[in-house]
Amino acid sequence: MTIFEDASAQPHGSPPSIGASWMGAPYPVVLADAGGRIVEANVAAATLFPGALRGVALDDAVPYWLADAHRRIAGRDLAAPARSVRGRHRNLTLEAHPTPGANGDVVWWLVDDTDRLLAESALRGEQERTAFLAETSTRLLASLNVQRCMDVTVRLAAEHLADAALLVAPVNGRQYPLAGSVGGGAARHTTARIDPASVPGLSEALQGFPPVLSRWIAPSALPEWAVPDGFAGPVGSVAVCPLPGHGVPAGALILLRHSDHAAFDASEEVFARLFAARAGSALSAARLYSEQTSITATLMADLLPPALRQVHGVEFAGGYRASRDTERIGGDFYDVHPGAGPGQETLAVLGDVCGKGLDAAVLTGKIRNTLQALLPMADDHENMLRLLNGALLSSSHTRFATLVLASVVRRGGQVRLRLTSAGHPPPLIVRHSGAVEEADTSGTLIGALPRIRARTAHVDLAPGETCLMYTDGITEARGGPLGDAMFGEARLRAAVADCAGMPAEAVVERVQVLAADWIGGRRHDDLALVAITAPQLAHLTAVDGHTPGRYTA
């Protein structure tokens, strides 16, 4: 470019006015007259164009694009700018810069632009690859679903890296999950019993070993399962890439190209490995998340409150709300352990562990499991609580809990209860008349003192009457018009008084609705309650249009 700048600074005119220094220039220089014949060419030009001899027509000595450009420029007005032209000659890309003279001669200065264009092309290619890898990471990390990650992986690979792609996930039992895409189209999923050894390098890739070079894989030897459905034409080249995960391989990717397309070169194989690394990381994270979610769901199934129902002629209903809406478990819990038969007592338990969240839920699970083991001693509440207290004191945690036990059995039309509180609010008894009583039971909390005491209350429920056990999260819930008043026991009593004669589920639902309305969107403790109701023996019928009605057989 320096020579071109120097030459353009020369005055326009005949070759002598331009100067003879161009003859020794390192760049090819050709001087042609207005008729398109070569007047002179320097050594570099003669080397580049062996036919560029004095008197020879440009059409016979130089590429057509240069001769054509000369015809457009020769003899034109010198005031008009002369533009450079570019074209190919052999394996070179040349840029020709004209310097017109006053008599119609033109000096053509030629610069080899091949390396610059190759560098620009390589830069564009790397920019496109970088953008593609960034898009890959964004799309793969947008989901923690394993199947979606497999979809994105094979579709991107089949669209940008090859004509088709097949993802082989780690074996599940005896089956290998497979996902394939052709041309970036919709992925197809299947599972199959395959032999990875039938594809060179696949067994190693599934174990996380480096890939086998594509030139070592014979496309004609591929098994049928390794070619995705919809791939038309023979396979021309194959590449196998491992999908490295977080310490454990996430599978392997088989890339296929048609026979009429170029085979994978070394740079493409390196790029495919970079893509596979991102895909493997995303797949591994998705699979780990899926496994942890499954484990969490399995463990949580034992921590969640059970669904209650009628047991041996007695209605049971429960309600639970964790301290945070994003959580499903906490420190409050309840259980119902049915008796062996209609004449055997059913044990209902409601408790409150100190604290909130997962730590409290773990201790809740221990207490529930311990009480399950102590069921044979349920006829003696105090002894049962004493053994539970000893178990909690011997563990490593420092939390305590409050409990209320209810042994329930139906005797004819009535339901008999034995209620024992261990540091817990006494249950409320809702009579058919609407009167609300507090069960006469009390005791010390569990897991704090070496010795406990407890007093058991005996209560009979007539048809339609209910025993409500609740945690202090109900009465201590703050809300109301100003947001700082507790729901309180008085409001709870008024709420359950209106539930006289209602089924157990209706009692629980009403208390929950009133408490939720009182709290609004404010923070609160765990809320739990259990209703035990003696079912109605007859239908309620109206005497007239004004009285409450009467029970008839």
Side-chain angles (χ1 to χ4, degrees), residues 335 337 347 362-377 384-392 394-395 397 403 446:
D335 266 318
H337 304 281
L347 179 67
V362 171
L363 180 57
T364 293
K366 292 180 179 180
I367 293 176
R368 293 174 67 184
N369 290 336
T370 303
L371 288 173
Q372 178 82 29
L374 294 176
L375 282 179
M377 304 177 183
M384 195 177 192
L385 293 172
R386 184 169 58 251
L387 293 173
L388 175 61
N389 185 66
L392 295 185
S394 63
S395 61
H397 65 81
L403 293 172
I446 303 298

Side-chain angles (χ1 to χ4, degrees), residues 360-506:
V362 171
L363 180 57
T364 293
K366 292 180 179 180
I367 293 176
R368 293 174 67 184
N369 290 336
T370 303
L371 288 173
Q372 178 82 29
L374 294 176
L375 282 179
M377 304 177 183
D379 57 340
D380 187 343
H381 287 182
E382 187 172 356
N383 185 39
M384 195 177 192
L385 293 172
R386 184 169 58 251
L387 293 173
L388 175 61
N389 185 66
L392 295 185
L393 289 175
S394 63
S395 61
S396 58
H397 65 81
T398 58
R399 298 177 183 269
F400 57 86
T402 64
L403 293 172
V404 59
L405 305 179
S407 291
V408 186
V409 65
R410 180 171 175 172
R411 293 283 186 260
Q414 290 192 327
V415 173
R416 294 183 177 178
L417 297 90
R418 289 188 297 115
L419 302 171
T420 305
S421 171
H424 203 85
L428 298 179
I429 310 301
V430 186
R431 297 301 182 184
H432 195 276
S433 63
V436 179
E437 306 169 3
E438 187 178 89
D440 186 18
T441 176
S442 63
T444 53
L445 50 81
I446 303 298
L449 303 173
R451 299 183 64 181
I452 66 166
R453 60 175 180 80
R455 184 176 71 253
T456 300
H458 295 266
V459 176
D460 290 338
L461 299 179
E465 296 180 339
T466 297
C467 170
L468 180 68
M469 304 188 296
Y470 61 94
T471 60
D472 58 10
I474 299 285
T475 54
E476 295 178 3
R478 293 188 177 274
L482 300 180
D484 59 350
M486 291 196 298
F487 188 74
E489 187 175 335
R491 288 187 181 84
L492 178 60
R493 284 173 173 261
V496 296
D498 292 339
C499 298
M502 290 186 179
E505 288 187 6

